[in-house]
Amino acid sequence: MDEHAGGLGAVTRPELDPGEPIVGRDAELARLFRAVDSVSADPVLMLVGDVGTGKSALLDRAVRRAEAGGARVLRAEGSESESSLAFSALHQLLRPVLAEVDRLPGRQRAAMRDAFGAGSATSGPDLMLIGVAVLSMLSALGDHHPVLVVLDDAQWFDRASLDALSFVARRLEGEPVTMLIGARGGDQLPGFDRHVLTLTLGPLDDAETDQLLDLQPKSPTGHTRTRILDQAGGNPLALVELTRAASAHDTAAGLPSAGPLPLTDHLERIFVARLNGLPASTTRALLLLAAMDSADSAIAVSAGLPRAEDAAWLPAEQAGLVRRIGRDVRFRHPLVRSAVYHAASSAAQREAHLALAEMLRDEPDRRAWHLAAACPGPDAAVSADLERTATRARRRGGHAAAAKALLRAAELAPRREDSARLLVEAAAAAVFTGDIAWVEELAAAARARTDDAALLASAAVQAGRLAVLTGRHTVVFSRLADAAEALAVSQPAAALDLVAGAAVVRFYSGEDTQRHRIQDILRRLPEDASHAGLRTWVRAVSDPFDDRAGLVRLLPQSAAEAEARPERLTTVGIMAWLLDETPQAVRAFDEAFDRWELQGPLPEGLGGAVAWAYVERGRWEEARQACVRTTAVGRVVGLDHAVACAATVDATLLAFQGDAATARARAEDALTLIDPLESRSVSVYARRALGAAAAAEGAYETAYDQLRMVFAADGAPVHYHASYPALADLAAAAVRCGRREEAVAIVERSACALADNASPRLRALISRARGLLADPEDAEPHFRAALADPVLEYWPFERAQTLLDLAEWLRRRRRIAEARGPLTEALEAFRRLGARPWIERARAESRAAGLDVTDSTPDALAELSPQQQQIIRLAARGLTNREIGEKLFLSPRTVGSHLYRSFPKLGITARSQLRDLIEGTLAGAGHQE
């Protein structure tokens, strides 16, 4: 921490003198005070700066301000040595309020206990559930007092804690919780994206540095002052500490000589100089404290450290190396700890770690790391201990911690083959961190240590698993395809795994040359009955309209195989969705989600298929929940492509529900996250969403322009799967803006390309498009064909659009009596879905047809935001605020706030009225199979 940086006096302890000025940080301090004095529009604020720029001093002042105002302060300080222990920072933060865990709902309580190693789970906890649990705890604490969460030296937080806390940070709006973060400049914090308000602490200017030096007890003058100014470079901590060193020697002789050494080296040398002449007992105590994972006073005493009141600490305190706070002794700055540790001999360091390991027999994970730190060379037993630590970390969802433990285990493994195996396992764990560079580095290290074909193949597969989820489609496809070809003869199973990944990349990119290469590799691979399902997957993903009927016939076999291997349920669902067997896709996804709690995280490849299937099936509430989860996971692990996929689905739903402005913003967000030439699928989905938003507002020229971009200049689909569902919407916009002829050419080209491989759904959409584009006297057969197949009821929104088109055509042909049936059915479907623009259009058409259309409850729901609609529907089912929060990843307080604001709009005053109010909303096609 930077306790004495930023201008706090070097002698006066800042925690005892809140009036001591902080030089050069007035604007930053004022902004922090505004954040803690009231519920801020920006509940999350990050201070970024180099070591010694004053981050901790500012955070300390904000803490004192908050405490004086009656706030509850929870604080965690990053520790480099604990960065490998999953959820250690989160545990430190919540340790004062762990009793609140017992008040959480059962699933959240179990997830938190598993995260802290106190549960009995055999698979990793749900990261999103842990995030909701932490959010619920903070929100509950806020019922009594405002809450200030302070995360200092966050660059050293373990990854699992950062994932959970970044999840919480994005959901603090409206909560009586403020989060302040201090982090080193240049250190990226996973999950804390560009939307977090950031204050950057740079060097002090000349006037500020002079002011700070003048405030020191022995203000330097003359040549000494000049040397301090030159070497400090405007860094507040350097100014204070160099001044302390100079005054201790009464001359500038004690200062480091000028030169190219980095600033931290200067400071570490100063701190090391203060160790000279300290009593042996003090030096030993300092080294033990430096080697510890934390300043836990109970562990400190059992490890042989003197108690805080012991005289052994006095010389170190007088030398400005430590400070005593209650029963704890802490270093005054991380650089002090680093200097103490590295000043000791290797033998002394090992002795300290062994002493700590002896005292930590009841904490096997921390003990394993201390034993590893004490190892001068390979050690099979310690390597095995670290491997077991990794297993426990994975069970708690600490994938980064597991990967670090496996990496260290690999370094200590005496046998090269064991080292290579552990590195491959480390790569597999690191996949879930989203850090592709790290995964590739671990895979490369494994390749350098073994010639074992199976291990080499496994390393390639692990690197490929994460690469598939990034936006570097051209590069990743070539890498996966090259590796598959190289392994086709020696390791055909691994080669097929790599081709499966390449097929996903092919879907995202939409590049047709990739399809040909996939087919070439498949032909080289031997047929194997045990791998038939994976071959089917590759064919369906890379080209679902090549022998669609044959692929559909294989779906039941894939579904049967998934019964024995539930992790494959999503694979079956994705294949079914690609083949427009949406009802079967939704059933598979439902079953997968039912088993999720037992099986752990689902695969993320083509995860957007889940949301799209729910959209098509009319289950928009579940679709938005899937988008929330994908967005949360994608942001946490830095997978912008996954976030963009979810944003396009969300944008489409928002457009369907009438929130055109937000829909456009979400779609534009998606387009900024991807390269349209690299990610044709996402680009097409975004254009479809923008087209829907324009159509919802009646801006049909704009809608046509957006949907026209879903097809190439010659009318060919930009994407082999994502473009076709836009045909009917393109036609609808075309007839309203005079672009009929061009649209006819595009529709007929697509119809010809699909031919007999078109699904019933696509045949219906093409028929609808033909009906819209036909001469009025020729339109009816096309509309009737689009409605003829009963299976089309499984796509309720698309069917309702066709019904409305038919009804409009009938009314304009003065067949009003015939129009009323389709109109009534269409309006009912739109109301059930909450598709407000289409409700209004259907109501207007109904009135023109002489129907008595009255406002009904679903129209009232349409006045709510999409999120409020979700909450209302869940509340109507009888779910509590906490249960709704778990589903939507919100705090109970936020759920309650939405309900409070929604009731007046719905004309009700009590929760008990909700079920009767929207009983019809939850019935019907949206929940039928």
Side-chain angles (χ1 to χ4, degrees):
M1 298 187 306
D2 304 328
E3 275 85 41
H4 294 272
L8 290 173
V11 173
T12 304
R13 289 165 61 179
E15 64 271 16
L16 298 180
D17 187 3
E20 188 73 26
I22 295 180
V23 174
R25 306 299 188 205
D26 292 348
E28 293 87 349
L29 192 58
R31 185 63 188 82
L32 287 175
F33 284 176
R34 288 201 304 275
V36 301
D37 284 347
S38 62
V39 177
S40 172
D42 297 299
V44 183
L45 186 62
M46 185 180 299
L47 291 175
V48 174
D50 293 335
V51 174
T53 49
K55 301 182 295 296
S56 293
L58 289 167
L59 291 175
D60 282 343
R61 190 62 63 82
V63 165
R64 288 196 289 271
R65 176 88 164 207
E67 288 175 336
R72 178 65 184 267
V73 177
L74 298 176
R75 187 166 189 166
E77 299 170 2
S79 165
E80 191 171 12
S81 62
E82 284 201 349
S83 62
S84 299
L85 297 173
F87 293 109
S88 59
L90 186 64
H91 185 268
Q92 182 190 156
L93 180 76
L94 299 179
R95 188 173 179 178
V97 293
L98 283 180
E100 295 293 325
V101 172
D102 294 333
R103 299 185 178 93
L104 292 170
R107 292 178 64 232
Q108 294 181 32
R109 183 170 62 248
M112 290 295 288
R113 287 176 175 168
D114 290 343
F116 294 154
S120 57
T122 57
S123 62
D126 187 333
L127 173 62
M128 303 304 107
L129 195 58
I130 293 171
V132 171
V134 176
L135 183 61
S136 297
M137 289 177 65
L138 296 177
S139 182
L141 289 170
D143 289 338
H144 308 289
H145 307 280
V147 178
L148 175 63
V149 174
V150 178
L151 313 177
D152 200 4
D153 280 327
Q155 75 280 352
W156 284 334
F157 278 22
D158 63 280
R159 180 58 183 270
S161 293
L162 278 175
D163 290 348
L165 291 167
S166 63
F167 175 93
V168 171
R170 284 189 293 274
R171 288 160 177 81
L172 290 181
E173 184 177 356
E175 300 288 346
V177 180
T178 301
M179 182 180 290
L180 303 181
I181 307 163
R184 293 270 185 93
D187 288 300
Q188 288 285 76
L189 289 187
F192 290 90
D193 56 24
R194 61 186 181 278
H195 300 299
V196 174
L197 180 63
T198 301
L199 303 180
T200 301
L201 304 181
L204 301 181
D205 62 27
D206 291 346
E208 292 164 347
T209 55
D210 279 331
Q211 182 184 356
L212 178 55
L213 289 182
D214 290 340
L215 287 170
Q216 301 313 302
K218 293 184 179 180
S219 180
T221 58
H223 180 60
T224 298
R225 189 182 185 99
T226 301
R227 294 198 64 193
I228 290 173
L229 290 171
D230 288 343
Q231 292 190 20
N235 182 283
L237 178 65
L239 289 162
V240 171
E241 297 301 338
L242 289 170
T243 299
R244 178 191 289 267
S247 63
H249 291 81
D250 261 343
T251 74
L255 295 176
S257 58
L261 291 174
L263 178 63
T264 53
D265 287 348
H266 288 316
L267 292 174
E268 284 195 15
R269 287 176 59 187
I270 292 171
F271 293 135
V272 169
R274 295 187 197 167
L275 294 172
N276 296 331
L278 292 180
S281 61
T282 302
T283 302
R284 180 182 181 279
L286 286 171
L287 179 56
L288 272 174
L289 185 62
M292 284 178 60
D293 290 333
S294 69
D296 189 306
S297 56
I299 295 174
V301 172
S302 65
L305 265 74
R307 295 184 181 276
E309 62 272 16
D310 195 289
W313 293 114
L314 184 59
E317 189 172 27
Q318 291 173 337
L321 299 172
V322 298
R323 57 192 176 100
R324 293 185 279 187
I325 304 175
R327 295 183 302 166
D328 291 336
V329 178
R330 299 190 181 187
F331 287 111
R332 287 182 50 217
H333 193 276
L335 285 176
V336 180
R337 179 186 181 197
S338 176
V340 168
Y341 185 80
H342 292 292
S345 66
S346 298
Q349 291 172 356
R350 287 197 297 273
E351 182 182 343
H353 284 294
L354 288 173
L356 290 167
E358 183 64 26
M359 294 299 110
L360 291 167
R361 291 189 173 277
D362 293 333
E363 296 191 46
D365 295 338
R366 295 171 75 181
R367 181 175 186 273
W369 279 104
H370 282 298
L371 289 173
C375 281
D379 188 308
V382 177
S383 178
D385 282 345
L386 284 169
E387 191 172 358
R388 287 188 285 271
T389 287
T391 299
R392 289 187 289 270
R394 272 187 291 216
R395 287 176 181 169
R396 299 197 300 272
H399 301 294
K404 290 178 181 179
L406 288 164
L407 172 59
R408 184 64 177 132
E411 293 169 349
L412 294 175
R415 301 170 65 239
R416 285 177 64 84
E417 53 267 39
D418 287 335
S419 179
R421 173 185 60 81
L422 290 165
L423 284 166
V424 171
E425 291 183 19
V431 163
F432 295 99
T433 69
D435 189 340
I436 188 169
W438 190 21
V439 173
E440 292 174 345
E441 179 184 323
L442 291 166
R447 288 193 294 270
R449 298 192 190 189
T450 184
D451 296 323
D452 184 280
L455 272 179
L456 290 171
S458 182
V461 169
Q462 296 305 335
R465 287 179 67 193
L466 183 57
V468 162
L469 301 178
T470 70
R472 306 181 308 172
H473 300 314
T474 302
V475 172
V476 169
F477 181 87
S478 296
R479 184 182 302 164
L480 293 172
D482 290 347
E485 288 176 339
L487 295 170
V489 175
S490 62
Q491 297 288 324
L496 188 56
D497 276 334
L498 291 165
V499 175
V504 174
V505 178
R506 142 75 172 161
F507 179 87
Y508 285 142
S509 72
E511 174 57 54
D512 205 47
T513 57
Q514 296 175 357
R515 174 175 63 91
H516 298 303
R517 191 168 183 193
I518 287 172
Q519 292 172 338
D520 288 342
I521 299 173
L522 278 182
R523 283 191 287 268
R524 298 184 203 177
L525 294 174
E527 296 280 354
D528 186 332
S530 64
H531 299 144
L534 195 53
R535 292 182 74 97
T536 302
W537 159 267
V538 172
R539 290 174 56 202
V541 173
S542 58
D543 194 350
F545 300 118
D546 180 18
D547 188 25
R548 176 187 175 275
L551 290 169
V552 169
R553 285 194 296 271
L554 292 173
L555 275 178
Q557 178 184 343
S558 297
E561 292 172 355
E563 287 297 317
R565 299 185 61 180
E567 71 275 7
R568 290 189 176 178
L569 282 168
T570 49
T571 301
V572 175
I574 290 168
M575 285 193 295
W577 171 73
L578 288 164
L579 296 167
D580 273 338
E581 295 293 314
T582 303
Q584 185 169 344
V586 168
R587 284 195 297 272
F589 293 143
D590 283 346
E591 188 175 352
F593 281 108
D594 287 342
R595 300 192 184 194
W596 191 332
E597 294 172 21
L598 299 178
Q599 297 297 328
L602 292 174
E604 292 297 326
L606 282 182
V610 177
W612 280 118
Y614 284 134
V615 170
E616 293 166 8
R617 188 67 189 83
R619 290 169 56 174
W620 293 358
E621 179 185 305
E622 287 97 328
R624 298 209 75 197
Q625 289 177 31
C627 290
V628 169
R629 176 172 289 276
T630 300
T631 300
V633 172
R635 281 179 172 163
V636 161
V637 299
L639 294 175
D640 285 349
H641 194 265
V643 174
C645 288
T648 60
V649 184
D650 206 26
T652 302
L653 284 173
L654 287 163
F656 289 169
Q657 293 174 323
D659 190 350
T662 308
R664 277 193 294 273
R666 294 287 283 142
E668 295 293 350
D669 283 346
L671 290 172
T672 62
L673 292 172
I674 56 101
D675 179 344
L677 298 179
E678 285 275 296
S679 300
R680 291 179 179 85
S681 60
V682 175
S683 177
V684 165
Y685 291 137
R687 295 299 170 190
R688 282 170 50 184
L690 290 168
E697 294 180 319
Y700 293 110
E701 185 79 42
T702 301
Y704 184 83
D705 289 342
Q706 291 293 342
L707 294 169
R708 181 64 183 83
M709 296 173 72
V710 170
F711 299 88
D714 62 358
V718 168
H719 188 273
Y720 64 93
H721 185 271
S723 290
Y724 290 126
L727 287 167
D729 292 332
L730 177 81
V735 298
R736 289 171 171 82
C737 67
R739 309 287 284 275
R740 185 188 304 264
E741 185 177 341
E742 184 180 40
V744 167
I746 293 172
V747 170
E748 294 308 319
R749 174 169 182 150
S750 293
C752 181
L754 288 167
D756 294 337
N757 280 314
S759 65
R761 176 203 179 197
L762 287 181
R763 286 198 295 271
L765 288 173
I766 290 170
S767 293
R768 179 190 168 213
R770 284 170 167 165
L772 288 164
L773 296 167
D775 291 334
E777 60 272 15
D778 300 325
E780 184 173 11
H782 297 301
F783 288 134
R784 298 292 184 189
L787 295 167
D789 194 332
V791 76
L792 299 175
E793 293 183 359
Y794 291 124
W795 290 269
F797 183 62
E798 292 172 3
R799 186 171 186 276
Q801 287 177 300
T802 307
L803 285 167
L804 181 56
D805 291 334
L806 172 62
E808 288 177 336
W809 181 87
L810 288 169
R811 189 182 67 78
R812 283 159 180 72
R813 306 295 288 177
R814 301 189 183 280
R815 294 161 61 178
I816 295 175
E818 293 178 67
R820 290 171 179 165
L823 270 175
T824 300
E825 190 177 349
L827 180 56
E828 181 184 351
F830 291 139
R831 282 173 165 166
R832 190 167 54 241
L833 294 168
R836 183 179 176 185
W838 283 266
I839 292 171
E840 294 303 320
R841 185 176 143 199
R843 288 174 59 194
E845 191 66 27
S846 297
R847 285 191 291 269
L851 291 171
D852 183 16
V853 182
T854 58
D855 291 338
S856 62
T857 296
D859 279 341
L861 278 179
E863 297 295 327
L864 306 179
S865 72
Q867 187 173 72
Q868 287 172 336
Q869 291 180 37
Q870 285 181 286
I871 291 170
I872 289 294
R873 289 189 172 103
L874 291 172
R877 295 182 192 173
L879 274 68
T880 66
N881 287 5
R882 280 185 167 182
E883 291 168 335
I884 296 170
E886 278 192 11
K887 283 186 171 291
L888 303 183
F889 312 113
L890 302 170
S891 75
R893 179 191 301 276
T894 299
V895 172
S897 176
H898 279 300
L899 287 171
Y900 178 80
R901 293 198 299 270
S902 300
F903 281 11
K905 297 177 183 178
L906 297 173
I908 62 174
T909 57
R911 197 184 192 108
S912 58
Q913 297 172 271
L914 283 175
R915 180 170 182 144
D916 291 339
L917 183 78
I918 61 172
E919 188 161 5
T921 305
L922 300 176
H927 289 271
Q928 295 172 356
E929 290 298 343

